[in-house]
Amino acid sequence: MLFRSIETERLVLRCWEPDDAPLLKDAVDRSLEHLRPWMPWTPDEPEPLDLVYERLREFRARFDNDDDYVLGAFERDESRVVGGTGLHKRIGDRAFEIGYWLAADAIGAGRATELAGALTRVGIEVLGADRIEIRVDPANAASERVPEKLGYSREATLRRRLPMKQGSDLRDVNVWTLFANELAGSPCEQYGYVAYDALGREP
């Protein structure tokens, strides 16, 4: 594990801690209708706090084991969760998939582009990835604009790949890719960051 938290101009992206459960629950609860069309994990109704707490314990364990890097997206003072993101290892060696969601009251201000731009750089510059992917439901126009603005190339549309909630159909997904040798000169470079390890040191 080479990082624990990342600071951007407006955000702190960091490993979830179990005691973040009230902040995460608040962000999801106030965004259920906004998230439900796109995020298959969205609950049908507000979840018990204990369940959210246990989920964050699992995220933290996977982070500490370098299995998956699921991150909370916080305001700079960390008083409020504005969304969630991550660098996921599920697409192969030297590659990460960036996922992201924003709370309903945090959309429309460029936060998704800011966090995805910074995570693209962290994945390549800190973690040594050769390829970063962002996968988006073609119907989600707002999310589709994020990789486009960052200079990613749309490689393919994979049919019936994204899961939906129980009882619904699979969705298509657009695959956007940026390689390490394409980072220089890309719009990602305008999104500065500072990464810290668990002891507060820059890797």
Side-chain angles (χ1 to χ4, degrees), residues 135 138 156-162 171-175:
R135 298 188 172 206
T157 298
L158 305 180
R159 297 188 298 166
R160 298 181 183 175
R161 297 297 180 91
L162 284 178
R171 299 168 292 157
D172 296 346
V173 61
N174 284 341
V175 180

Side-chain angles (χ1 to χ4, degrees), residues 181-197:
N181 64 357
E182 299 170 333
L183 179 62
S186 77
C188 294
E189 289 198 314
Q190 69 183 282
Y191 295 98
Y193 72 92
V194 181
Y196 299 97
D197 69 10

Side-chain angles (χ1 to χ4, degrees), residues 37-72:
W38 315 115
M39 300 295 159
W41 50 261
T42 306
D44 292 324
E45 57 187 31
E47 294 181 307
L49 184 60
D50 288 351
L51 186 62
V52 180
Y53 174 85
E54 292 300 325
R55 184 176 300 120
L56 293 188
R57 289 185 63 205
E58 294 175 10
F59 288 163
R60 172 63 189 270
R62 290 179 60 78
F63 198 107
D64 287 345
N65 288 329
D66 288 317
D67 294 329
D68 193 25
Y69 302 124
V70 181
L71 304 166

Side-chain angles (χ1 to χ4, degrees), residues 9-11 75 102-115 149 191:
E9 181 181 357
R10 296 179 294 173
L11 303 170
E75 298 282 13
L102 291 179
D105 53 5
I107 61 174
R111 290 183 178 91
T113 307
E114 180 177 332
L115 68 83
K149 286 189 289 188
Y191 295 98

Side-chain angles (χ1 to χ4, degrees), residues 13 16 39 41 68-73 83-91 96-102 111-113 115-117 119-120 132-136 143 146 152 162:
L13 313 175
W16 290 107
M39 300 295 159
W41 50 261
D68 193 25
Y69 302 124
V70 181
L71 304 166
T85 186
L87 286 163
H88 306 297
K89 293 185 173 184
R90 54 195 174 213
I91 59 170
F96 292 101
E97 179 187 342
I98 294 175
Y100 48 85
W101 63 271
L102 291 179
R111 290 183 178 91
T113 307
L115 68 83
L119 286 182
T120 301
I132 307 291
E133 286 186 9
I134 296 176
R135 298 188 172 206
V136 184
S143 283
V146 171
Y152 279 63
L162 284 178

